[in-house]
């Protein structure tokens, strides 16, 4: 097991400020964009100005006191919402406040200032990542929230987005999908000993090709540790196929599955459809074991087992204890910006072990879906 802990102390402050002023071509560096493109985590300390950081934290605290946060653990497809047992003491709590944070209560001015900064970042990412529909605007498209963790709260391992076909018919009903996950921390003077680190699971080495999607087909796994594997659900046969990009070109593809297939109901094991020589080197990003939202009660005989796999993050499960291989822990220090691809990077939030609340602004930039229900 390899682990890296990312934090910032006072001796690094000058370097951080110098780095911040060097971003003359945008709000993040070209290196940060390349990290996202190749399946890594981009971390920029001191990204949010201190005055705005403090204003947003005070706003979140006011909104919490006014009762505008709701328990919001992982939404497990295996269990109905009223059976998931979300609690304020053990789970993440969220303030959504309407599209673009346009709720009039609290410090709307600070939230709008922050939303403007995030829009500028989104436009830069649209260009830098070659994801042009990140730049388009809709009434409800890009998500923006406050997150709140009480002492003892945590969030289990999960992905923020999955291939539409793995969700069944409902997966094709939305016009957009999550593309880039972002987090901005608001906790001044946060110490390692207070817990609450964001644990991410990037590849040990950068991917051979851009991650997330290819020609609208979302990624579902890895081959040979760092080669993206995509699922094409619109084959001429009417079935689906797994493929990767050719080693020497992003334009050519190589089919990895034995034959075109119908994607079964969850839980799904894509390795069963691969040619035999690829099975041992294939790693599926989401499984029922590693992500409780990737399980479903499709068989009455499976209910007990799947329910155990899909318990909410308020309970200690295999999901949080596995420490699967290489991971990167990020301390939620005030002003830090974290960015990563929503489709390919699993993550969790470790227990808050201190006495303070862990507060952050978090959200997702959306891309337009390349396929819609009308086209299916």
């Amino acid at each position: 097991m390899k682990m890296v802990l990312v934090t910032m102390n006072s001796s690094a402050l000058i370097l951080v400020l110098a780095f911040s002023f060097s971003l003359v071509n945008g709000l993040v560096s070209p290196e940060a964009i390349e990290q996202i493109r190749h399946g890594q985590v981009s971390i920029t300390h001191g990204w949010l100005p201190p005055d705005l950081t403090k204003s947003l934290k005070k706003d979140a605290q006011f909104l919490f006191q006014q009762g505008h946060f709701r328990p919001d653990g992982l939404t497990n497809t295996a269990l109905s919402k009223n059976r998931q047992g979300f609690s304020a003491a053990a789970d993440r709590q969220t303030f959504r406040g309407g599209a673009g944070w346009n709720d009039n209560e609290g410090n709307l001015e600070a939230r709008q200032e922050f939303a403007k900064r995030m829009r500028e970042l989104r436009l830069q990412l649209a260009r830098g990542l070659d994801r042009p529909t990140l730049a388009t605007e809709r009434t409800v498209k890009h998500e923006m929230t406050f997150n709140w963790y009480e002492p003892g709260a945590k969030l289990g391992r999960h992905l923020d987005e999955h291939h539409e076909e793995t969700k069944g018919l409902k997966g094709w009903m939305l016009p957009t999908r999550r593309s880039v996950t972002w987090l901005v921390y608001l906790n001044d003077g946060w110490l390692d000993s207070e817990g609450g680190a964001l644990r991410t699971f990037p590849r040990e080495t950068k991917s051979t090709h851009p991650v997330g999607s290819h020609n609208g087909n979302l990624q579902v796994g890895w081959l040979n540790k760092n080669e993206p594997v995509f699922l094409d659900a619109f084959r001429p046969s009417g079935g689906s196929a797994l493929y990767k990009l050719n080693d020497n070109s992003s334009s050519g593809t190589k089919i990895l599955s034995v034959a075109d297939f119908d994607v079964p109901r969850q839980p799904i094991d894509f390795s069963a459809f691969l040619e035999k020589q690829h099975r041992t080197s294939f790693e599926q990003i989401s499984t029922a074991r590693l992500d409780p939202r990737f399980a479903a009660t499709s068989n009455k005989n499976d209910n007990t087992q799947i329910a155990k796999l899909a318990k909410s993050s308020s309970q200690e499960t295999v999901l949080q204890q596995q420490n699967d291989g290489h991971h990167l822990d990020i301390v939620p220090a005030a002003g830090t910006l974290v960015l990563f691809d929503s489709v390919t990077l699993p993550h969790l939030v470790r227990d808050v072990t201190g006495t303070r609340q862990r507060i952050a602004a978090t959200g997702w930039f959306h891309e337009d879906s390349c396929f819609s229900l009308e086209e299916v």
Side-chain angles (χ1 to χ4, degrees):
M1 179 186 75
K2 296 182 180 179
M3 183 189 78
V4 181
L5 181 67
V6 179
T7 184
M8 181 178 70
N9 53 42
S10 58
S11 64
L13 183 58
I14 294 177
L15 291 175
V16 170
L17 292 174
F19 176 71
S20 299
F21 284 117
S22 72
L23 305 180
V24 294
N25 295 319
L27 290 175
V28 293
S29 69
E31 292 77 15
I33 292 176
E34 283 303 299
Q35 287 175 315
I36 302 167
R37 185 196 310 277
H38 290 284
Q40 302 297 303
V41 186
S42 165
I43 306 165
T44 306
H45 293 298
W47 181 82
L48 193 65
D51 288 347
L52 183 54
T53 301
K54 292 177 182 177
S55 294
L56 288 176
K57 180 183 176 183
K58 289 180 179 179
D59 185 45
Q61 291 171 325
F62 171 79
L63 293 168
F64 184 85
Q65 292 168 357
Q66 297 301 308
H68 292 295
F69 282 72
R70 295 290 179 269
D72 181 29
L74 297 179
T75 301
N76 302 337
T77 59
L79 299 173
S80 62
K81 208 164 186 98
N82 60 5
R83 292 175 57 205
Q84 294 183 46
F86 296 149
S87 72
D91 289 298
R92 171 184 62 187
Q93 299 179 67
T94 299
F95 167 80
R96 297 189 181 277
W101 276 0
N102 291 328
D103 192 299
N104 287 323
E105 191 157 2
N107 193 340
L108 178 59
E109 182 178 352
R111 294 199 303 276
Q112 288 182 331
E113 181 182 349
F114 180 73
K116 179 180 178 182
R117 185 176 179 89
M118 297 309 294
R119 180 180 182 275
E120 293 173 1
L121 172 62
R122 175 166 52 82
L123 295 178
Q124 183 188 359
L125 293 176
R127 295 188 301 269
L129 293 173
D130 192 22
R131 301 182 184 184
T133 63
L134 283 176
T136 60
E137 305 283 355
R138 292 190 178 180
T139 303
V140 181
K141 179 174 181 179
H142 307 290
E143 300 172 76
M144 192 172 294
T145 73
F146 278 136
N147 282 172
W148 183 286
Y149 290 77
E150 288 290 329
K154 57 183 178 289
L155 189 67
R157 176 170 171 157
H158 64 284
L159 275 179
D160 288 336
E161 187 58 277
H162 299 86
H163 195 292
E164 296 94 337
E165 189 69 7
T166 67
K167 305 174 187 177
L169 184 60
K170 66 180 181 180
W172 300 106
M173 296 181 71
L174 297 176
T176 68
R177 65 165 182 86
R178 291 172 175 176
S179 177
V180 177
T181 298
W182 58 265
L183 307 96
V184 178
Y185 295 112
L186 308 176
N187 310 290
D188 54 302
W190 195 267
L191 303 174
D192 299 356
S193 59
E194 294 181 88
L198 174 70
R199 174 162 290 185
T200 62
F201 298 87
R203 300 285 93 187
E204 289 195 53
T205 58
K206 72 176 186 177
S207 67
T208 56
H209 295 85
V211 303
S213 69
H214 172 257
N215 291 340
N217 302 314
L218 269 59
Q219 186 178 344
V220 296
W222 300 95
L223 199 68
N224 301 317
K225 297 188 181 297
N226 64 348
E227 296 180 72
V229 175
F230 303 94
L231 176 66
D232 180 358
F234 290 91
R235 299 279 290 167
S237 67
S240 299
L242 297 164
Y243 71 93
K244 70 166 191 167
L245 302 180
N246 287 336
D247 295 339
N248 57 356
S249 171
S250 61
S251 59
T253 62
K254 176 180 173 58
I255 299 297
L256 303 174
S257 39
V258 175
D260 290 358
F261 59 93
D262 293 328
V263 174
R265 295 183 67 179
Q266 298 173 1
I268 303 167
D269 179 8
F270 283 116
S271 66
F273 303 103
L274 291 171
E275 294 180 353
K276 188 174 181 180
Q277 66 268 30
H278 300 309
R279 292 176 187 171
T280 57
S281 58
F282 174 73
E283 180 184 346
Q284 190 166 313
I285 299 175
S286 273
T287 65
R289 182 182 72 82
L290 294 177
D291 189 337
R293 294 184 296 184
F294 210 67
T297 53
S298 59
N299 185 319
K300 291 182 179 179
N301 295 328
D302 294 335
N303 286 357
T304 301
Q305 179 184 1
I306 293 173
K308 288 180 179 178
L309 291 169
K311 286 180 181 178
S312 78
S313 58
S314 64
Q315 302 179 42
E316 205 64 55
T317 72
V318 65
L319 303 174
Q320 191 140 346
Q321 293 299 312
Q322 281 292 323
N323 294 339
D324 301 80
H326 178 72
H327 59 270
L328 175 71
D329 278 0
I330 303 164
V331 174
T336 299
L337 169 70
V338 178
L339 297 165
F340 52 83
D341 182 82
S342 302
V343 175
T344 58
L345 200 130
H347 54 285
L348 58 83
V349 175
R350 306 197 74 191
D351 306 54
V352 176
T353 55
T355 58
R356 294 192 291 165
Q357 292 80 18
R358 178 191 187 274
I359 308 172
T362 67
W364 300 270
F365 296 142
H366 281 228
E367 284 185 82
D368 290 350
S369 295
C370 289
F371 311 103
S372 68
L373 188 62
E374 291 77 16
E375 295 173 320
V376 176

